[in-house]
Amino acid sequence: MKTTRDADPCLDALLADARGSGLDRLDAELLAAHVLGIARSAVIAHPERRLTAQEAARIAALHARRVAGEPFAQLVGRAGFHTLDLEITADVLIPRADTETLVDAVLERLPQTPLRGLDLGCGSGAVALALAAARPSWSLVAVDLSPEACALTRRNAERLGLDERVEVRCGNWYEPVAGACWDLIVSNPPYVADADPELEADVRAHEPAQALFAGEDGLDALRSILAAPPLAGGGLIAVEHGHSQGEAVRALMAAASLEDAATISDLAGRDRVTLARAPRHG
């Protein structure tokens, strides 16, 4: 990327360099605002601002990394999800708006009465923390195989004041909570087929493979989660999945004797979340 070489560079010149390198204007302005600790509106209002050499170098470096395909959320270390502002690192999948469909579907189907919930493959903690924030009477356990993801979820929980109701355990799917029974199980697991041609190259290059890929058909993780979910009678399980996997997920739920399976579409009208309930005892 071309960079401004003035001893006392101007913000507008640096933004022009970024646009000339093919960077989206919004990203260029937001990254500059991030480095300078100001709002994007201030970047727009004062393009004549003079930058220190250090500020210019930091902005130019972020612009170059974004042009190279590095995700915006990883560059700023932050991502919005549902009502929350979350810390994000390269160790976890960046929360997507599609996953808000999972949170909203659960909130629409369960009352505000106390319950115990389990989030499998928690990553940044987005789903568990969004549910806890919306339902003060709920307590949840968030599980992830990655120690880095578990540490990140703990940091997000503490910063948001939700650490007393969201416990984090590290391990493989149900192993860290063996013997427990749940009113709610949620998961946004890996569901991309190993050779999926639709996966964006930037996602494949910059987001953790462990959080993306799930075997030849993308269903390996979902098979593990849905084989025998430890739900209380009438308990709800809700999972996110790929747009072509709804039928297969419903079949897995039926094989596990779950009832009333239903698939919900995301904002683009594609199958995204499937829910079902455990049979009620008696």
Side-chain angles (χ1 to χ4, degrees):
M1 171 183 278
K2 184 175 71 173
T3 60
T4 301
R5 297 183 180 276
D6 297 342
D8 192 17
C10 176
L11 176 58
D12 190 47
L14 207 65
L15 294 173
D17 283 351
R19 292 193 295 273
S21 297
L23 184 59
D24 176 81
R25 175 181 174 180
L26 175 62
D27 281 0
E29 292 171 348
L30 287 172
L31 289 171
H34 170 70
V35 170
L36 298 173
I38 60 177
R40 179 189 173 221
S41 58
V43 171
I44 296 170
H46 300 288
E48 76 287 353
R49 174 171 174 161
R50 309 305 294 187
L51 305 173
T52 67
Q54 182 180 37
E55 288 171 339
R58 289 179 60 200
I59 293 170
L62 288 182
H63 285 170
R65 289 166 64 186
R66 186 71 187 105
V67 169
E70 195 165 341
F72 183 88
Q74 289 181 8
L75 294 175
V76 301
R78 279 292 198 271
F81 180 78
H82 214 252
T83 62
L84 308 178
D85 175 55
L86 299 170
E87 178 189 348
I88 297 299
T89 71
D91 299 308
V92 300
L93 198 68
I94 298 168
R96 266 92 167 161
D98 286 345
T99 304
E100 294 184 1
T101 304
L102 174 63
V103 173
D104 289 336
V106 169
L107 294 176
E108 288 169 4
R109 285 161 177 77
L110 293 176
Q112 300 201 27
T113 52
L115 62 72
R116 277 181 52 79
L118 176 66
D119 178 14
L120 295 172
C122 61
S124 64
V127 173
L129 295 171
L131 292 172
R135 293 288 189 266
S137 63
W138 292 9
S139 61
L140 297 103
V141 174
V143 171
D144 203 288
L145 184 62
S146 163
E148 293 80 10
C150 291
L152 179 60
T153 294
R154 289 191 186 98
R155 292 200 301 273
N156 277 322
E158 290 169 2
R159 185 174 54 81
L160 294 167
L162 297 170
D163 49 310
E164 291 188 0
R165 291 190 293 113
V166 178
E167 177 188 354
V168 183
R169 300 187 189 181
C170 199
N172 189 41
W173 303 128
Y174 296 110
E175 289 177 5
V177 293
C181 194
W182 306 91
D183 304 304
L184 168 68
I185 298 174
V186 293
S187 184
N188 175 21
Y191 56 75
V192 178
D194 291 346
D196 187 347
E198 296 183 17
L199 185 66
E200 297 175 5
D202 289 350
V203 174
R204 187 181 293 271
H206 294 285
E207 298 196 53
Q210 181 174 277
L212 289 168
F213 300 109
E216 186 175 348
D217 61 0
L219 293 169
D220 285 359
L222 285 159
R223 289 189 185 95
S224 296
I225 292 165
L226 296 173
L231 287 165
L236 181 72
I237 186 166
V239 296
E240 181 173 336
H241 52 75
H243 65 83
S244 63
Q245 295 172 332
E247 183 177 357
V249 170
R250 292 192 298 274
L252 290 171
M253 289 177 166
S257 299
L258 297 169
E259 300 176 346
D260 303 322
T263 298
I264 297 170
S265 299
D266 60 21
L267 295 174
R270 300 167 298 189
D271 286 358
R272 185 60 59 193
V273 172
T274 297
L275 310 93
R277 288 189 179 271
R280 295 189 179 277
H281 302 310

